[in-house]
Amino acid sequence: MIPLISLKEMKRSLLIALWFAFLTFPIMVIRVNPIERTVSWRWTNLLYVALGSFVISLLVKAWAIGKERRAGAAAARQQTPGSAAISIIQAILNRPAYWYPLAVLVSGLALAFPHLFSTYQTNIMITALMYVVLGLGLNIVVGVAGLLDLGYVAFYAVGAYSYALLNLHFGLGFWAALPIGGLLAALFGVVLGFPVLRLRGDYLAIVTLGFGEIIRLILENWSDFSKGPSGISNIPRPGFFGVEMALDQAMIYMYYLMIGLLVVTIFVVNRLQDSRLGRAWLALREDEIACQAMGIDKTRTKLIAFALGAFWAGLIGVIFGAKTTFVNPASFTFMESAIILSIVVLGGMGSIIGVVFGALILILLPEYLRALSEYRMLAFGAILIGMMIFKPEGLIAGVRRVYRFQGRGR
Amino acid sequence: MDYFIELFLSGLTRGSIYALIALGYTMVYGIIGLINFAHGEIYMIGAFTSFIVATVLSIYGFPLLAIVIVAGVAAAIWSSAYGYTVEKIAYKPLRRAPRLAPLISAIGMSIFLQNYVLLAQTSDFLPFPELIPEFAFMEPVAHIIGSSDLVILVATTVVMLALTLLIKFTKIGKAMRATAQDKTMALLVGINVDRVISATFIIGSALAAIGGLLIASHIGQINFAIGFLAGIKAFTAAVLGGIGSIPGAVLGSLILGLTESFATGYVSSDYEDVFAFSLLVLILIFKPSGLLGKAETKKV
Amino acid sequence: MKPILNVSDLSMDFGGIKALDRLDLDVCAQEIVALIGPNGAGKTTFFNCLTGIYLPNSGDIQLTCPQTGKKTRLNGLKPNKITEKGMARTFQNIRLFPQMSVLENVMIGRHCRTHSLVLGAILRNRRTRVEEQETVDKSYAILEKVGLAAQVDEFAGNLSYGAQRRLEIGRALATEPFLLLLDEPAAGMNPQETTELVALIRRIRDENQAILLIEHDMKLVMTLSDRIIVMDYGQKIAQGTPAEIRGNPAVIKAYLGEEVG
């Protein structure tokens, strides 16, 4: 239903378009080459900006009008607003009858994937699955417990470097390094979390950001320890009872390993959310003082969330090292944290299915639409803003638990 | 001794640049309690705009003084326009949202603006035209302080004085102080809070743009990513001084600039940035209210 | 009757302003005590000191468990520890978890009486399952008691004002306190709701819980309380039965600001 747009709105959008044309003029239009001392004027860009902002401002206005109408209609029917806008996926999720066939379909596809597609595709899929798990890990921290962690990539780095270094110095294999990497990252989480988790939300965000950068800068500068910016290479891929594998076989093996890890992660995260601890996290997100007054140990509860999130980042760090056989500090910049945060925000904070979809969309889309990949980070930035304004609950909101008790039947 | 003075003066230079950016953080925080994560990007856009304008003018052969003035004014105008627009798009719709929402939106804005400049311009480091000549009268002390350091110090002092006068004596300055103290009350006595917030963003952005122009011509090159580190450091300075407090931002910036300068001069330059980040983490953990800020009492 | 809460010499100041000035106060088991006084007298500050949200400058707060007789000094304990010791509270400006269901809000109150952690959550072993079911059942029973059984699945934020106040009481009850602190429980309630509230508070007292409440509704205070304590400028200016307080000149002065003939 597209609401009619009045002339006044058109005029307003025209003004907005003019404003953006002015705003973006120096950066979009002028391009200088200071060495050859030439200037190129790209006037067509101005046209694109004006047209684009005109259309977008109209769309936003239409959305706002539509939202008002829906809210009005919902109020008339005594319903909560937004219930009309539930997406198709959400509708399917709300019907348990669909779950079983859907699960069979999805798992069938997932299992057959490396045999249906090339090694290249499998490789991309492994990366996407890694981001799914990273997203699920960060989701515990940001989505469920409401702690904005902007340095999540630091724990990822801890995992990757613990495998790389343990292998380099002690010849430790993948399977031994996997739990160690996870546990070391969790330990880092506890050590960092202990002093900072009592901070207010926005300060916590900045401190974790600072911490993430500190770890990266140390890895870059402390060459005796980490081999500096050149990184560590020749990290072995995961072994399978000592069987030698060709590259494509190794990739298929890694793919199934990631599928396995994903299933375990979903299982664990789901159970955690649905527990005494999960409830306490949700409550902490809403009101810390009330939580404390209800006997919840704020620091301890947050620390557990933080450490669990870090644990998964550490695991994926080890896998990252094994997959690329090479780690260096450049893989662990703030932008990496921002990508993972975008996944959680797009998918829906606190929603497992949402995060899975979020990661697949954000990682696979730019891979397959090569033309778009240049605009990837631009889009991630826009997603963070747009989701907060238009759909803060994410694409797929978390499923609400229904409890059974005497009086409602077990 | 000369080395000490050299480090001291270069620390002051650094500090005053940080101050120009830190003021934007602290003013916005004072008014709406938001860490404007995209502020570093506004500074970067200021630097970029001045770079583009100055290079174009110098290619077309304008005299140096005209280039400096036009580039400075253009940077201030466009940065302010960006600051104003960023507030309208990313923060204003979220004024009543949970606290983390505008912060996430701000992070998104920062990433967006960085990549916008990257795509519209280039990822390379670009040489910034020399806007500040070596003054002849500076020759005797040139081994201690460069001409551009002097210009930066003078320019920031002038800008700070102007800002102080603006906040103390003008109508909008008074409205800003009132809004910072109590937004609801300010609204009740007829202050247009929306306009005050916009003004805060515009002033903060203009200051950052001037900082961008000065530092870019001082260092001699720019790139799309310079806003991130400068933003974090300026934020560190603002927190060190006590976020929300204007004299605090200046004090914190000078302390940060001096310590960085001495640490890199006497110890090692490898960990220059680690130092700033560690300082940030330590202040937030041990004294989040900063040197001149007010401690928050929780209301129950 | 034996006292379960002893407060002696409690002082608290905010940057030179004395919010609490050498306050002494006792509450006995199964007693309903009302704390009254003009706005700004320091009543809510007092609650915040008791529950560990503020740290008092000096003085002593001691809680005695009526069953075991065990004494604990509360000064400096964290709010969650104090709740564990058996004292729970509600808030003047309601602080529920609005995006959680009514049932979940009460279940949060059970947190400090249950134990399962990460491993329990993941493995979902027998002990965890039993504990979870117990949490649900006990929470539901409490909701029946406070009259919210019909709205278990509603978001707490969607409840009416009076229902939210009752839910806050229910949530506090779920922590199994022997002393319940209520901060203006009747604020914003209509007469019908207030009557129900009085009945509810009496029922809670009859189940062996003592109640200390801050309230401005004098009719409620006079009918409900065993004892009334009057505060002004952070000091206790009077205490006694409702009848004694009614005629106390110091109280009238505090409320009206001058000596009444």
Side-chain angles (χ1 to χ4, degrees), chain B residues 9-134:
Chain B
L9 289 172
S10 87
L12 277 189
T13 312
R14 253 177 212 255
S16 29
I17 297 288
Y18 291 155
L20 284 175
I21 313 173
L23 282 168
Y25 279 112
T26 229
M27 284 163 61
V28 166
Y29 194 91
I31 301 268
I32 53 173
L34 165 78
I35 299 173
N36 179 12
F37 208 85
H39 190 59
E41 264 48 68
I42 299 293
Y43 148 85
M44 179 269 291
I45 284 176
F48 239 99
T49 310
S50 62
F51 158 77
I52 291 169
V53 172
T55 313
V56 169
L57 292 182
S58 84
I59 289 172
Y60 291 145
F62 281 79
L64 195 59
L65 190 67
I67 294 178
V68 173
I69 292 171
V70 175
V73 170
I77 287 178
W78 262 285
S79 276
S80 305
Y82 274 95
Y84 171 83
T85 314
V86 163
E87 195 271 328
K88 284 278 179 280
I89 292 179
Y91 307 147
K92 195 171 173 226
L94 296 173
R95 258 186 229 155
R96 257 176 255 161
R99 198 165 184 151
L100 284 188
L103 188 61
I104 292 177
S105 175
I107 292 162
M109 190 44 95
S110 160
I111 296 170
F112 184 88
L113 288 177
Q114 243 184 63
N115 286 278
Y116 153 71
V117 173
L118 164 72
L119 290 168
Q121 295 285 326
T122 171
S123 62
D124 301 332
F125 271 94
L126 296 162
F128 200 88
E130 229 174 271
L131 295 184
I132 304 162
E134 291 298 324

Side-chain angles (χ1 to χ4, degrees), chain A residues 226-283:
Chain A
S226 66
K227 298 201 177 288
S230 53
I232 301 169
S233 48
N234 288 326
I235 304 168
R237 293 202 168 78
F240 185 69
F241 302 111
V243 180
E244 281 289 316
M245 279 185 285
L247 181 64
D248 53 342
Q249 281 173 315
M251 277 302 140
I252 293 177
Y253 177 50
M254 285 231 52
Y255 173 84
Y256 284 120
L257 206 139
M258 272 315 302
I259 291 281
L261 183 62
L262 176 62
V263 170
V264 172
T265 307
I266 291 180
F267 176 80
V268 170
V269 171
N270 184 39
R271 286 211 154 172
L272 280 172
Q273 285 193 6
D274 236 0
S275 70
R276 167 177 178 268
L277 206 54
R279 275 194 304 275
W281 287 333
L282 284 182

Side-chain angles (χ1 to χ4, degrees), chain A residues 22 27 30 37 198 200, chain B residues 29 58 78 85 121 285 296:
Chain A
F22 159 76
I27 289 181
I30 311 173
R37 298 186 67 77
R198 62 189 176 81
R200 244 177 30 207
Chain B
Y29 194 91
S58 84
W78 262 285
T85 314
Q121 295 285 326
I285 292 173
E296 239 175 76

Side-chain angles (χ1 to χ4, degrees), chain A residues 271 276 286-287 293 408 410, chain C residues 83 99 114 116 137 153:
Chain A
R271 286 211 154 172
R276 167 177 178 268
E286 299 207 14
D287 191 331
R408 177 146 76 186
R410 301 216 173 181
Chain C
T83 308
Q99 298 290 315
T114 46
S116 98
D137 291 341
D153 291 326

Side-chain angles (χ1 to χ4, degrees), chain A residues 286-287, chain C residues 89-102 105-106 143 146-148 151 154-172 182-189 193 196-197 200:
Chain A
E286 299 207 14
D287 191 331
Chain C
R89 72 173 288 181
T90 66
F91 293 90
Q92 184 182 351
N93 39 355
I94 301 171
R95 300 190 83 122
L96 288 166
F97 308 113
Q99 298 290 315
M100 295 173 85
S101 75
V102 167
N105 266 273
V106 182
L143 284 175
V146 298
L148 290 170
Q151 284 135 303
E154 196 70 51
F155 278 126
N158 293 351
L159 293 183
S160 72
Y161 203 71
Q164 290 199 7
R165 290 238 176 254
R166 273 181 289 146
L167 178 54
E168 259 210 331
I169 295 175
R171 189 179 65 174
L182 305 177
D183 199 344
E184 296 194 23
M189 284 188 170
E193 286 174 321
E196 284 168 18
L197 179 74
L200 174 64

Side-chain angles (χ1 to χ4, degrees), chain A residues 55 64 128 164 168 214 265 269 287 320 336 341-342 347 355-356 368 387:
Chain A
V55 171
L168 186 72
I214 290 173
T265 307
V269 171
D287 191 331
F320 172 78
E336 206 64 27
L341 179 68
S342 309
V355 170
V356 174
Y368 288 113
M387 293 307 282

